Amino acid sequence: MSTDAIVLLKNDHKTVEKLFKEFEKAGEDAYDEKRRIADSIIEELTVHAYIEEEIFYPAAREAVPETKDHVLESVEEHHVVVWMLSELAGLDPKDETFDAKVTVLTENVRHHVEEEEDEWFPEVRSAMGRKRLQELGQRMIDARADAPKDPLKLQSAKA
């Protein structure tokens, strides 16, 4: 398995996208399945946001000072997402707003992923190089164990 930081983040993006598609395919009354998928989305995005905020974003800003605005915008996007995650965590899947919240969450995350992958990951890759990205990736892998389970414990929840 690659320890390249950007590859790891893109793999997380793919995992979450797969969960979004599962949710979209779930039947209207598949409440237990939707709860299970939503819980997986919450966990995946919370861990992902944690390693980005604690490790990747600071390193990206240092390596490519021009990414400052992208990083700040990404943290604000995380802020919106983590509050939605916290609302979803306590919401009954039979609640009439449950599917709508997941839909808005999906749209927000897809936009965020597109900006990261298309607009500034290439700049960071070129500035950092393979060795640095592998070191960073290993730090990110190690940090997963320390990631909070509650999205409101993330830095961006307080932003």
Side-chain angles (χ1 to χ4, degrees):
M1 183 172 112
S2 174
T3 60
D4 179 293
I6 291 175
V7 171
L8 293 172
L9 294 176
K10 284 183 173 185
N11 285 342
D12 285 355
H13 293 166
K14 287 176 191 162
T15 298
V16 171
E17 179 59 30
K18 186 177 169 199
L19 290 167
F20 289 154
K21 287 186 171 152
E22 267 184 63
F23 190 92
E24 290 166 349
K25 289 178 186 165
E28 192 175 319
D29 297 331
Y31 301 118
D32 290 344
E33 183 181 2
K34 286 180 177 181
R35 175 79 271 159
R36 179 193 58 76
I37 296 166
D39 289 343
S40 294
I41 290 169
I42 292 165
E43 183 175 340
E44 290 290 335
L45 287 175
T46 300
V47 170
H48 178 79
Y50 175 78
I51 63 172
E52 279 189 330
E53 292 172 19
E54 297 295 324
I55 297 168
F56 186 76
Y57 289 170
R61 261 182 92 164
E62 183 183 315
V64 189
E66 302 80 49
T67 63
K68 176 185 172 198
D69 290 342
H70 287 297
V71 171
L72 292 173
E73 183 180 328
S74 291
V75 171
E76 291 305 318
E77 289 171 349
H78 282 193
H79 179 77
V80 171
V81 166
V82 300
W83 281 94
M84 292 187 78
L85 294 175
S86 73
E87 290 174 6
L88 266 177
L91 194 60
D92 186 325
K94 292 179 182 172
D95 187 289
E96 68 176 355
T97 64
F98 191 85
D99 287 3
K101 281 189 190 299
V102 173
T103 298
V104 172
L105 172 71
T106 300
E107 291 167 356
N108 274 279
V109 171
R110 284 176 174 157
H111 166 79
H112 175 78
V113 165
E114 184 181 320
E115 282 188 342
E116 281 186 344
E117 291 188 2
D118 296 347
E119 294 179 20
W120 62 280
F121 278 6
E123 290 178 66
V124 173
R125 174 171 299 292
S126 134
M128 282 193 181
R130 196 172 78 161
K131 186 176 188 304
R132 176 76 177 109
L133 283 169
Q134 287 176 335
E135 292 167 357
L136 198 59
Q138 190 57 57
R139 283 184 51 215
M140 290 163 49
I141 290 168
D142 295 343
R144 285 182 183 274
D146 299 326
K149 300 298 178 224
D150 178 355
L152 295 182
K153 300 284 187 222
L154 295 172
Q155 266 185 353
S156 57
K158 300 158 186 71

